[in-house]
Amino acid sequence: MALVPFPSRQSEALQIPPEDDDPSGKMSFLEHLDELRKRIINACLGIAVGILAGFVFIDKVFNFILAPTRHALPPGSKLIYTQPGEAFSLYIQISLITGVVAAAPFIMYQVWLFIAPGLYSNEKRFAIPFVVFSTIGFVTGAAFNHYIAFPFIMVFFASFNTPDLTFMPKLQDVFGLYTKMLLGIGIIFQMPTVVFFLAKMRMLTARFLAKNFKFALLLIFIAAAVITPTGDPMTQMIFAAPMVTLYGLSIVIAWIVGPKRLQASGSDIR
């Protein structure tokens, strides 16, 4: 009678199932650096295309950006520049900003392609929503800065104009303040997008956000003080107010997105 070998428990334990859904941790450090280099190059190429497009419409973009400042200036005041190449340099910078804004969807897609290898397959389907929501967030932040925040700040600064003091801001200073506020508020308006995807990936809950609201409030005002391009409290409030509002909106987003998914697995999120 032939003896059939019976597999031992030890041999069964050594059988490792294939990791089909494992986030890609197989890339070496140098491969990660090479991937980062590739995404940065692609993003720069997208920005270059946007810069070329910005040169075509440079006059319209220039007038659009400076419109809030012109409306805030007292009658008879003008923007000035004191360096020979200052105005030309400003046109170059405006083209650069235009290129970044125009290429924002492509840049966000490159960011996603860089982080996607570290995600599970069921999380990689968020690529298109990530690009769309992050772009909408940045554009909304840019619009908030152009139509609300920056005009309010310029009106506030121009309010100190008196018969003895004439408000005549330098061209470069005005655009520098506009750019810093644009980038800062654009990043701030990414908060709901980040919370949305963290809640989708079960890494964040509405309960956690609501429970730590008082700590978040403190961090928001600290962050506003750090990223505020000027030292005045009025500008700090301009940055802090939307952050507080967006944090409250993020709690609602996490509650809408998180509970249904977590309740399906029997988790308590409340």
Side-chain angles (χ1 to χ4, degrees), residues 5-62:
F6 185 77
S8 64
R9 294 184 178 271
Q10 182 177 4
S11 64
E12 290 179 354
L14 293 176
Q15 296 178 0
I16 301 176
E19 298 181 354
D20 296 331
D21 198 36
D22 183 49
S24 177
K26 301 178 182 179
M27 295 176 64
S28 65
F29 178 73
L30 293 179
E31 288 174 334
H32 278 292
L33 288 180
D34 184 66
E35 181 69 13
L36 177 62
R37 178 187 63 84
K38 183 193 304 183
R39 300 306 164 199
I40 292 177
I41 292 176
N42 290 344
C44 290
L45 291 176
I47 294 175
V49 174
I51 291 175
L52 294 178
F55 270 118
V56 177
F57 305 99
I58 186 63
D59 290 331
K60 294 182 179 179
V61 176
F62 181 84

